[in-house]
């Protein structure tokens, strides 16, 4: 098998498996218990929190552990909106966000009457900061943007929007799930109030993530129960997953530059190998090389996906968070419109530092011989 769907999830690194296994075998205590077993487990939670905080250059107390990106997004968006609705009920987001953001905001809109503005990119797919600036109001409570798009790799103007909101009451939430571990992300420098991340996107385990929140921000808990995570998120901590995610992020941070250069080369090789094929890329300005969205005129992506899967190649057409269905991309629809044939002829190829040059060459060979 050739695995080229790293934007959906990434394989566990051996060092991560080793760290998780050590905790599973040797540390079964409940971190909330006061005896030695509990204290040892609590130390592991603190260690994981400090490792994550160091990678983001933030204080450990600003990190809340969650079950992943979706929970982090819901906690930031729903938790902050409900706790601060006296300040206003207007929220701005983009039309190309992950479903966990779009659906959380639609929930606030339908159940609590929030006024949500979904901003579309410009006709060329670009997303300059003035699109947000033009829509800001006095009662704007929240602005939510992803850092890197999960379907195209497009980088959104996070720094510019952060500066724009510095003197505005609106809290700034950034879904950084596709960026963390791949490019430097420092929330304080970028003037981000909330930042979401998920461990399985950077070779950590599934079912664990974190939420950065600027100190003194008030937001409601989404999960109620015990007093874990400074009363922000109830539930006994997923000990081995936390240490696995922290180890994965530590490794990603230490090797970030080399990993990025490798993936950049993979993208270049892919496009070079495809130079004699009738295809195009969905690239809308600055983007990360980890995700390449390709269009093949007149070729149905459902059929391409099936042929490649039968030939041992794992790719996708977009987000993996739609219950396994192959739906037209809402990201591309926001750019081209709902009637565009480009919505049905795209595939997404996504790399990690574990992807090899030989795998890229083999993929293109299979694509040419068996799918096109």
């Amino acid at each position: 098998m050739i695995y080229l769907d790293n934007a959906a999830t990434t394989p566990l690194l051996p060092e991560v498996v080793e760290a998780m296994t050590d905790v599973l075998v040797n540390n079964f205590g409940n971190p909330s218990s006061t005896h030695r077993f509990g204290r040892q487990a609590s130390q592991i939670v603190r260690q994981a929190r400090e490792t994550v905080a160091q990678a983001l250059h933030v204080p450990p107390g600003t990190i809340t552990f969650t079950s992943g990106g979706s929970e982090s997004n819901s906690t930031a968006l729903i938790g902050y909106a409900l706790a601060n609705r006296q300040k206003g009920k207007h929220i701005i987001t983009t039309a190309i966000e992950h479903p966990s953001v779009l659906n959380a905001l639609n929930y606030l809109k339908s159940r609590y009457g929030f006024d949500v503005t979904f901003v579309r990119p410009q006709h060329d797919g670009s997303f300059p900061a003035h699109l947000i600036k033009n829509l800001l109001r006095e009662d704007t409570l929240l602005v939510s943007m992803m850092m890197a798009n999960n379907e195209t790799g497009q980088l959104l103007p996070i720094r510019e929007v952060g500066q724009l909101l510095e003197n505005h009451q609106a809290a700034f939430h950034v879904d950084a799930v596709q960026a963390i571990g791949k490019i430097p992300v420092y929330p304080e420098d970028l003037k981000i109030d909330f930042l979401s991340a998920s461990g399985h996107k950077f070779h950590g385990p599934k079912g664990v993530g974190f939420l950065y929140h600027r100190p003194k921000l008030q937001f409601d808990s989404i999960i109620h129960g015990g007093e874990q995570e400074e009363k922000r998120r109830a539930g006994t901590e997923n000990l081995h997953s936390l240490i696995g995610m922290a180890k994965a992020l530590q490794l990603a941070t230490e090797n970030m530059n080399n990993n990025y250069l490798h993936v950049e080369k993979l993208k270049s090789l892919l496009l070079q190998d495809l130079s004699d094929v009738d295809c195009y890329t969905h690239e809308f300005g600055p983007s990360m090389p980890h995700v390449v969205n390709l269009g093949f005129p007149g070729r149905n992506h459902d059929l391409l996906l099936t042929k490649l899967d039968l030939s041992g190649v794992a790719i996708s057409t977009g987000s993996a968070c739609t219950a396994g269905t192959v739906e037209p991309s809402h990201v591309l629809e926001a750019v081209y419109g709902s009637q565009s044939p480009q919505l049905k002829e795209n595939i997404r190829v996504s790399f990690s530092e574990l992807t090899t040059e030989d795998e890229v060459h083999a993929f293109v060979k299979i694509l040419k011989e068996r799918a096109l």
Side-chain angles (χ1 to χ4, degrees):
M1 288 291 294
I2 299 173
Y3 185 75
L4 297 174
D5 197 19
N6 290 276
T9 196
T10 52
L12 287 173
L13 292 172
E15 299 93 328
V16 172
V17 174
E18 183 180 352
M20 293 176 66
T21 302
D22 180 66
V23 173
L24 282 169
V25 172
N26 298 308
N27 302 93
F28 65 87
N30 188 320
S32 297
S33 299
T34 57
H35 48 62
R36 179 178 297 180
F37 295 96
R39 293 196 303 273
Q40 290 174 342
S42 180
Q43 175 60 31
I44 290 172
V45 176
R46 287 196 298 274
Q47 176 188 338
R49 199 184 315 277
E50 288 171 4
T51 300
V52 171
Q54 286 172 5
L56 272 63
H57 295 182
V58 298
T62 62
I63 302 296
T64 294
F65 289 128
T66 68
S67 64
S70 293
E71 185 190 328
S72 294
N73 287 338
S74 282
T75 300
L77 297 172
I78 297 174
Y80 185 81
L82 294 184
N84 296 275
R85 48 188 152 174
Q86 75 281 358
K87 298 178 182 178
K89 299 184 78 172
H90 181 231
I91 300 173
I92 299 173
T93 190
T94 83
I96 62 173
E97 297 298 311
H98 188 271
S100 62
V101 167
L102 298 177
N103 291 337
L105 294 180
N106 276 320
Y107 170 79
L108 287 171
K109 181 179 179 180
S110 62
R111 289 293 296 269
Y112 295 98
F114 281 83
D115 179 11
V116 183
T117 302
F118 298 91
V119 189
R120 296 168 68 94
Q122 297 189 133
H123 293 303
D124 61 356
S126 62
F127 207 104
H130 71 72
L131 295 182
I132 301 296
K133 181 179 181 180
N134 294 343
L135 293 166
L136 280 174
R137 307 184 330 211
E138 285 188 8
D139 65 334
T140 302
L141 180 66
L142 261 170
V143 174
S144 179
M145 295 178 70
M146 55 176 32
M147 181 168 283
N149 186 264
N150 56 303
E151 295 191 24
T152 66
Q154 179 180 13
L155 288 165
L156 273 66
I158 299 303
R159 181 177 296 277
E160 292 85 349
V161 173
Q163 292 172 344
L164 179 67
L165 297 176
E166 191 172 11
N167 297 313
H168 193 283
Q169 71 154 1
F172 188 26
H173 167 255
V174 173
D175 177 350
V177 165
Q178 290 293 337
I180 289 286
K182 301 178 180 72
I183 60 175
V185 179
Y186 306 129
E188 291 181 347
D189 177 52
L190 295 169
K191 306 185 189 310
I192 293 171
D193 296 307
F194 290 103
L195 181 139
S196 305
S198 187
H200 73 106
K201 303 295 187 178
F202 48 85
H203 303 288
K206 300 172 186 65
V208 63
F210 63 85
L211 175 68
Y212 160 81
H213 35 83
R214 184 169 53 79
K216 298 183 180 180
L217 278 181
Q218 299 297 315
F219 57 98
D220 289 351
S221 298
I222 301 299
I223 299 176
H224 302 276
E227 297 186 354
Q228 293 90 351
E229 296 300 296
E230 300 294 327
K231 302 181 182 180
R232 301 187 189 107
R233 199 267 188 185
T236 303
E237 294 88 348
N238 187 354
L239 213 58
H240 62 286
S241 292
L242 291 181
I243 209 69
M245 176 177 66
K247 184 65 176 180
L249 186 56
Q250 178 187 13
L251 292 169
T253 303
E254 291 172 351
N255 300 288
M256 189 173 290
N257 187 56
N258 288 337
N259 290 345
Y260 190 93
L261 291 174
H262 175 69
V263 172
E264 203 170 37
K265 185 176 182 181
L266 295 178
K267 178 180 178 179
S268 179
L269 288 175
L270 172 67
L271 298 180
Q272 182 180 325
D273 283 1
L274 288 170
S275 60
D276 61 343
V277 174
D278 183 16
C279 69
Y280 57 92
T281 60
H282 299 285
E283 199 161 319
F284 312 117
S287 62
M288 294 179 59
H290 301 72
V291 179
V292 185
N293 203 306
L294 299 166
F296 296 88
R299 304 283 185 174
N300 187 286
H301 60 188
D302 300 38
L303 190 57
L304 284 174
L305 197 69
T306 301
K307 286 181 176 180
L308 288 167
D309 184 38
L310 293 172
S311 299
V313 178
I315 58 162
S316 71
T317 59
S319 175
C321 296
T322 50
T325 59
V326 181
E327 299 286 344
S329 166
H330 74 281
V331 174
L332 299 184
E333 182 179 340
V335 178
Y336 302 120
S338 60
Q339 302 305 310
S340 172
Q342 292 171 297
L343 273 60
K344 277 291 191 177
E345 56 190 30
N346 75 294
I347 60 172
R348 181 186 70 177
V349 178
S350 49
F351 307 116
S352 82
E353 65 273 18
L354 300 184
T355 310
T356 68
E357 295 179 21
D358 287 343
E359 286 177 320
V360 173
H361 294 313
F363 158 63
V364 176
K365 187 173 186 291
I366 292 169
L367 178 67
K368 291 177 179 179
E369 293 178 353
R370 304 182 196 177
L372 296 178

